[in-house]
Structure formats: C-alpha cells, structure tokens
Amino acid sequence: MKLALIGDIGGTHVRFALWQEGRPDALRVLATSDYPGPEEAIRTYLAGLDLPLAALDTACLACAGPVQGDLFRLTNNHWQFGRLALTHALGLRQLLVINDFAAMALGMTRLADHERLTVRPGRAEAGSPRLVLGPGTGLGVSALLPDGAGHWRVLPGEGGHVDLPLVTAREVALWQLLQRELGHVSAESVLSGSGLLRLYRASCLLDGRTPQLDSAAAVSAAALAGDAGAAAVLEQFCGWLGRVAGNHALTLGARGGVYLAGGILPHFAAFLQGSSFARCFVDKGVMSDYLADIPVWLATAEQPGLLGAGLALQAWSERSSA
C-alpha cells in the first residue's frame, strides 16, 4: 500500500509522520542541523520505520517561511530545496509544500475543548476570521477565513516580521538597544526562542545587571522559580506578544477569536494567563472596544502543525482526484 508522508519543518526540528486514516501516525522528530536538507532527513525517517522510499506516494511539507515558486528556503535554518527536484528524488506522485503556520491554522480547526486554555475570555463571533500566531524558533502568523459553507480557508503570511510596537518609555529604551544590535527590530526579534534570550540580555544591559542566564528555557525557568529580573523579562515578553496579537487582530478583523500556538508558550501557560497579555491585547485607544469581546486561547494539542499538514494533503488529494 502506498503511503502519505507529512512533515512540519521548523527552524530547529522537523517532525515527520505518516498520514493514515485521517490522523498522523509513526511520529519522529529530527534535528534539522543534522541533515543537509529534507531528502536526507526523509530517508532517515523511512529507514527508522524499515520502509523503502518506494513506499511513498504523496507528501505534504509544512515549512517555516514564505512559499513562492519552486525553490524554497527556510527562514531560520540552512535548508533549501526545489519542489520538483525533491518530488523526483523521492519518487513521489505529488508533493505539496505549504507554510508551516498555514498548517498550524488548519490544525486549530480540529482542536477539542480540552486542547486549549483560555488566556482571555470573550465571545467568538460566528462567521468572522480567526487569527493564529505563536512564538517558536520564529514567530508564525496565519489566519482562518470562513468560506460561508461551514469550512475554513487559510490565509498565510509573514506577520512575524512586522515592526515591534513601542508604547512605553521602557519599550523605547529596549528597542534602542536591540536596534543597535540588529538594525531592523521585528516582532520576531523578541517574540521567539532566541528573542526571549535577546530581550533578557537587553534588559540586563538597560538595568545595569550582569546576565546570568544563557538560554530562553533558563530565562523562563528562572521566572517561574521566582527570580524577579527574569520574571520582569517574561512579563515584558507577554505584554509585547499581546500588543502584536492585538495589532494583527485589528488588521484582520479577527472577531472569531485568536489562537496562540508554537512550542514556547505552553511551558509558562499559567504565567501567560496572569500576565499583562490580555491588557496589552486590547489597549488600542479608540479601537479598544472593538477588541473587547475577542477570546484568546492557547493551544495545548500535540503536533497541531502535523495534523494541519495532513488535512491540507487530504484536501489537495481530494481536489486532484475530483
């Protein structure tokens, strides 16, 4: 029996699974740094399952970066590939390549109630767009648009690279330090794994403290353990995430709700729920009332990006055979 492969390729890890009976199966996680490109990683994945390359028929790869034309370059790692060349190298009948947060958005359409936490209560407006964003290796942003027939269309984008919004004097001071280091300071510059560490170091410099922590995980762990300096950094991170989410919700008209996803936030979910995220999300001057009823949820489901990749492949295959 010919098999369908699904992959969720981020900046740090790639997750592969087989799409069987409407769900991911045989999940494996590999480090992208261990392979020159997706072909070699896929061969390793299949070898680990004792499957020959010829077992594959179709595949969908959800990739972190803009999907345009045949050549794809990932934004936050060294991988690049041509869709047609990879299709031939793997002997596939069909290869679909989509944005990773387009897949994440599709995954949100299958969330069960127990797979999400409420970050900000509200009332989802039926028939309105929904926003999906979240920090991981980068900051992914996508949208779900209702099609009027009970289904959702995905609107991918690169909203993680918008300018970082500045409201308070401290945010301006932090931005000045970040701008000296980076030039352009995008939302992703702060709202990502490397960004949290960057924010911590800039905060230490601004406050005259010597940095003691060397990873995003260490910063969040110290914050949760009661370290006042790390907690202030994590609070700033959550507030900035709220501002960026609110900006995108205004632009999109996301009265149907906002999903927060990605690999970072579940590690400090309770902190996020008690942070200034909700206040900063709605703090938009004359448009604050527009955002007042929009609910925000944190997705806690396992591998929603892979699920979304499978759903995209399934829908694409159905259209191709129609």
Side-chain angles (χ1 to χ4, degrees), residues 30-107:
L30 305 176
T32 55
S33 60
D34 290 343
Y35 303 92
E39 179 185 347
E40 294 79 7
I42 290 169
R43 289 179 181 273
T44 296
Y45 168 75
L46 292 173
L49 298 177
D50 291 325
L51 288 174
L53 193 61
L56 292 184
D57 179 51
T58 60
C60 175
L61 299 180
C63 303
V67 177
Q68 296 174 317
D70 180 70
L71 181 63
F72 183 84
R73 294 183 177 89
L74 276 94
T75 302
N76 291 311
N77 71 36
H78 64 285
W79 282 13
Q80 66 176 40
F81 63 91
R83 190 187 68 81
L84 288 176
L86 185 59
T87 301
H88 294 149
L90 297 176
L92 297 173
R93 181 173 57 85
Q94 291 178 318
L95 171 61
L96 176 64
V97 180
I98 63 174
N99 175 263
D100 65 328
F101 252 71
M104 184 70 77
L106 285 172

Side-chain angles (χ1 to χ4, degrees), residues 3 14 36 59 62 84 98 108 139 141 158 165 185 205 208 210 232 269 303:
L3 299 174
V14 55
L84 288 176
I98 63 174
M108 296 301 102
L139 177 64
V141 180
E158 291 299 322
V185 184
L205 182 60
T210 301
Q303 311 302 337

Side-chain angles (χ1 to χ4, degrees), residues 6 8 15 17 19 23-25 27 29 103-104 107-108 110-112 114-116 261-263 266 298-308:
I6 51 176
D8 183 8
R15 294 163 176 83
W19 183 250
R23 63 180 181 84
D25 187 42
L27 169 68
V29 181
M104 184 70 77
M108 296 301 102
R110 293 289 185 90
L111 280 187
H114 70 275
E115 293 178 315
R116 66 184 189 184
L298 172 61
T300 59
E302 294 185 8
Q303 311 302 337
L306 268 182
L307 175 61

